[in-house]
Amino acid sequence: MTRLFLVRHGQTYWNVEQRMQGWKDSPLTDIGINQAEQLSESLKNENFSIIYTSSCNRAVQTANILNRNRNIRLVKDDNLREINFGSWDGCLFSDLENSFPEDFNLLKEKPHLFKSPLGESFLIAQNRVLFAINRIILNHFGKNILIISHAIVIKLILSYYKKQHIRDIWNTPPIEQTSLSTIEIDNRFVNIVRYGDTSHLSENGTIYQ
């Protein structure tokens, strides 16, 4: 049984500012650090063979917190980065919605038809990420693998295993900061055990947003 533990990074400053991050980056806030510490505590009894993380610093920061008391081999992988929003990276959502209303509406309503200027489509991003996931499974078959990545990337992985079309990607629960999704793979049998679980976080409305 191969088990994938998919974790979104903790809250960042650009999350708070409502900026598109994509391949650009911003550091974790104090809340984001606290979120990762809470997740680390909840996973303390899980044994992982290896940790893979997106090479984006916000994911690496989260991975380092989760690995603080473990000292497991940690591998950075560019293919686990968030979808590339091209020239939209770093822009405020509100500015994008005002400047590119048709494209922004496609992102919200018809993601399978969306592609940002100089960026990726959802399908291209999914193929990139699945290349990494399939290689990880092949190299660590039968192991517990911790993977730290991003909201859309995790949705694309889960939609693939759910046999869900990209057009319906928003019709599932959100992937919040440091949420945990778990997939069990046994030959051709796949079971999504957890989807975007945030039960490890404090019941404080300011903990994540």
Side-chain angles (χ1 to χ4, degrees), residues 84-140:
N84 181 6
F85 284 104
S87 60
W88 284 19
D89 282 353
C91 297
L92 291 168
F93 292 147
S94 56
D95 289 345
L96 293 171
E97 189 167 17
N98 290 331
S99 300
F100 307 97
E102 293 183 5
D103 289 333
F104 199 82
N105 188 64
L106 277 183
L107 172 61
K108 294 189 299 181
E109 303 295 337
K110 298 179 179 179
H112 58 297
L113 300 179
F114 170 80
K115 183 180 182 297
S116 61
L118 305 178
E120 294 178 303
S121 69
F122 277 61
L123 181 59
I124 288 173
Q126 186 180 54
N127 288 337
R128 162 174 60 82
V129 173
L130 290 176
F131 174 81
I133 293 297
N134 289 332
R135 187 182 66 245
I136 289 169
I137 293 171
L138 182 64
N139 290 339
H140 306 283

Side-chain angles (χ1 to χ4, degrees), residues 180-198:
L180 176 64
S181 302
T182 308
I183 305 173
E184 294 180 343
I185 303 170
D186 187 2
N187 294 323
R188 294 185 179 181
F189 175 76
V190 176
N191 182 30
I192 297 176
V193 180
R194 280 177 288 200
Y195 190 113
D197 179 25
T198 56

Side-chain angles (χ1 to χ4, degrees), residues 12-163:
T12 70
Y13 285 94
W14 280 8
N15 287 151
V16 176
E17 295 172 9
Q18 294 290 291
R19 289 185 184 274
M20 196 75 80
Q21 290 191 108
W23 283 12
K24 288 189 177 180
D25 223 340
S26 67
L28 300 186
T29 63
D30 289 344
I31 286 176
I33 292 170
N34 181 258
Q35 291 170 331
E37 289 171 343
Q38 290 183 70
L39 178 60
S40 180
E41 174 65 19
S42 74
L43 291 175
K44 65 182 179 182
N45 294 323
E46 294 285 356
N47 294 315
F48 298 108
S49 296
I50 194 164
I51 300 174
Y52 281 87
T53 180
S54 156
S55 56
C56 291
N57 187 58
R58 59 192 185 274
V60 175
Q61 273 189 279
T62 304
N64 284 333
I65 293 171
L66 297 178
N67 198 29
R68 187 177 291 164
N69 298 316
R70 294 178 180 271
N71 197 30
I72 302 171
R73 183 184 172 214
L74 191 153
V75 179
K76 300 176 187 178
D77 191 329
D78 288 345
N79 283 324
L80 294 174
R81 286 181 293 179
E82 181 61 288
I83 186 173
N84 181 6
F85 284 104
S87 60
W88 284 19
D89 282 353
C91 297
L92 291 168
F93 292 147
S94 56
D95 289 345
L96 293 171
E97 189 167 17
N98 290 331
S99 300
F100 307 97
E102 293 183 5
D103 289 333
F104 199 82
N105 188 64
L106 277 183
L107 172 61
K108 294 189 299 181
E109 303 295 337
K110 298 179 179 179
H112 58 297
L113 300 179
F114 170 80
K115 183 180 182 297
S116 61
L118 305 178
E120 294 178 303
S121 69
F122 277 61
L123 181 59
I124 288 173
Q126 186 180 54
N127 288 337
R128 162 174 60 82
V129 173
L130 290 176
F131 174 81
I133 293 297
N134 289 332
R135 187 182 66 245
I136 289 169
I137 293 171
L138 182 64
N139 290 339
H140 306 283
F141 192 77
K143 305 294 185 180
N144 288 351
I145 307 159
L146 183 59
I147 299 172
I148 294 84
S149 192
H150 307 271
I152 293 176
V153 163
I154 293 172
K155 273 189 168 287
L156 289 170
I157 295 169
L158 292 167
S159 68
Y160 169 77
Y161 284 112
K162 284 167 60 73
K163 302 186 186 316

